[in-house]
Amino acid sequence: MNFTPESKVLIQGITEPIGATYAALMKNYGTNVIAGISPGRGGEQVEEIEIFDMVEQAVGHLGAIDTSVIFVPPYDVLDAALEAMAAGIRQIIIVTEGMPPLDMVHLVRQAEATETLIVGPNTPGIIVPGKILLGTHKSDFYTPGSVGLLSRSGTLTYEIAWQLTQAKLGQSIAIGIGSDAIVGSSFAQWLQILDEDEATEAIVLVGEIGGSSEETAAHYIAEAIDKPTIAYVAGRHAPKGKRLGHAGDIMAAQLSVGRTHQVSPVGADPDTAQSKIAAFKAANIPVAQSPSEIPDLVKKALKPSRKKK
């Protein structure tokens, strides 16, 4: 993981309306945005950021690039991500919502082969408060601190960050792993990163109904994570079979019907909030009833570990 103020950042789709908007916000936050990509617009500028037609041209002029943030339309994401990987970029954040599922399967396989970290699609990205913004997080809600925030939900991430900030609990990092049915990085992958991160003292995991990634995470936390972890699951009052997310997510989920049992370590009915909450409780992980309960649970969990210092 390399997310520092010195990290060189590229924006693919910088002339898309959302790309141009967040390029300016990222740059104003202090992110080292060194170039943008927009085929046919090479030589122009957005917010004084130079635009290139291709990623390899940007790398040729500016040297190795650490991270690409992608804002291109859904059916162009696969080509954009493969182009970034071919140019040596090993951290890719896909903000775009509704990437075709088969494109995402192909991208995940290529990422595994090249050891590339993929965050998203349909993600607000990553923020290290006070240091770097990569995506669309509402930066005013965050403050530097020691709580690692890991979430499937974009807007809930902002809300919980604000709850923590108001309780004087700053954040070491916040990651939206993405809300599409198929995403690049998993809860388990990020839990391991945060467990090894010296700036993180406690972890808040925010899940939601649909799929089985929360059950998998609960099992992994019980087996491998040493730092105190607090969980919250959105959608506890939703009817059975309901999914959160946008139309693209729902269509993608329908394509995967019947396969969720293949990845669940705890068995029946992994789509419900009740199943996920039960999995966390079985792993002795405190579960908040609402976002407002999270700060108190974090403070309670941190007390024993801080007393030992």
Side-chain angles (χ1 to χ4, degrees):
M1 185 175 71
N2 179 25
F3 302 115
T4 68
E6 293 75 33
S7 299
K8 293 182 179 179
V9 177
L10 177 78
I11 296 178
Q12 291 177 265
I14 194 168
T15 56
E16 297 289 335
I18 188 173
T21 299
Y22 284 99
L25 293 174
M26 283 188 268
K27 186 178 177 183
N28 289 339
Y29 195 73
T31 303
N32 185 23
V33 181
I34 62 168
I37 303 298
S38 183
R41 302 284 295 271
E44 299 180 19
Q45 291 189 345
V46 169
E47 299 292 332
E48 299 182 346
I49 301 168
E50 188 173 3
I51 298 175
F52 294 86
D53 291 315
M54 300 175 64
V55 178
E56 67 176 12
Q57 292 173 340
V59 173
H61 279 79
L62 303 167
I65 294 172
D66 299 294
T67 302
S68 177
V69 186
I70 294 179
F71 290 94
V72 303
Y75 285 90
D76 295 333
V77 170
L78 178 60
D79 284 347
L82 293 178
E83 184 184 349
M85 280 193 279
I89 298 175
R90 293 294 173 258
Q91 297 176 158
I92 296 175
I93 296 170
I94 304 172
V95 176
T96 306
E97 170 193 347
M99 184 178 172
L102 288 179
D103 283 4
M104 193 59 202
V105 170
H106 181 66
L107 179 58
V108 167
R109 289 174 178 165
Q110 289 297 111
E112 290 173 350
T114 57
E115 297 185 350
T116 301
L117 175 65
I118 303 287
V119 179
N122 197 3
T123 174
I126 293 172
I127 183 170
V128 180
K131 294 183 179 179
I132 187 170
L133 170 63
L134 299 164
T136 63
H137 286 271
K138 310 302 180 189
S139 59
D140 291 350
F141 292 179
Y142 295 83
T143 190
S146 62
V147 180
L149 180 52
L150 179 58
S151 175
R152 283 178 66 188
S153 169
T155 50
L156 265 179
T157 314
Y158 317 147
E159 179 181 348
I160 292 169
W162 180 236
Q163 296 275 355
L164 292 167
T165 293
Q166 288 185 306
K168 301 188 184 306
L169 290 167
Q171 305 87 46
S172 55
I173 187 171
I175 308 111
I177 66 170
S179 298
D180 276 6
I182 303 173
V183 295
S185 58
S186 66
F187 276 139
Q189 190 173 353
W190 279 104
L191 284 164
Q192 181 182 6
I193 291 171
L194 295 181
D195 201 41
E196 296 171 354
D197 178 29
E198 293 182 356
T200 299
E201 290 187 69
I203 301 168
V204 174
L205 187 153
V206 183
E208 61 183 27
I209 55 175
S212 59
S213 57
E214 290 80 2
E215 287 87 344
T216 304
H219 181 74
Y220 183 77
I221 291 167
E223 294 291 325
I225 301 301
D226 295 324
K227 292 181 179 176
T229 302
I230 308 300
Y232 173 71
V233 180
R236 62 179 62 212
H237 300 299
K240 187 176 182 179
K242 177 72 175 177
R243 282 185 61 87
L244 301 183
H246 304 288
D249 309 340
I250 296 169
M251 292 174 65
Q254 289 173 343
L255 293 174
S256 66
V257 165
R259 297 203 300 267
T260 54
H261 67 283
Q262 296 175 353
V263 293
S264 171
V266 293
D269 210 9
D271 284 339
T272 67
Q274 288 73 25
S275 168
K276 300 170 191 304
I277 291 168
F280 285 123
K281 289 184 175 178
N284 294 319
I285 299 164
V287 180
Q289 298 291 312
S290 66
S292 63
E293 287 188 4
I294 292 174
D296 285 342
L297 290 175
V298 171
K299 289 179 179 178
K300 185 178 179 181
L302 281 173
K303 281 182 180 177
S305 59
R306 285 183 171 174
K307 284 180 179 178
K308 292 177 183 177
K309 295 179 178 179

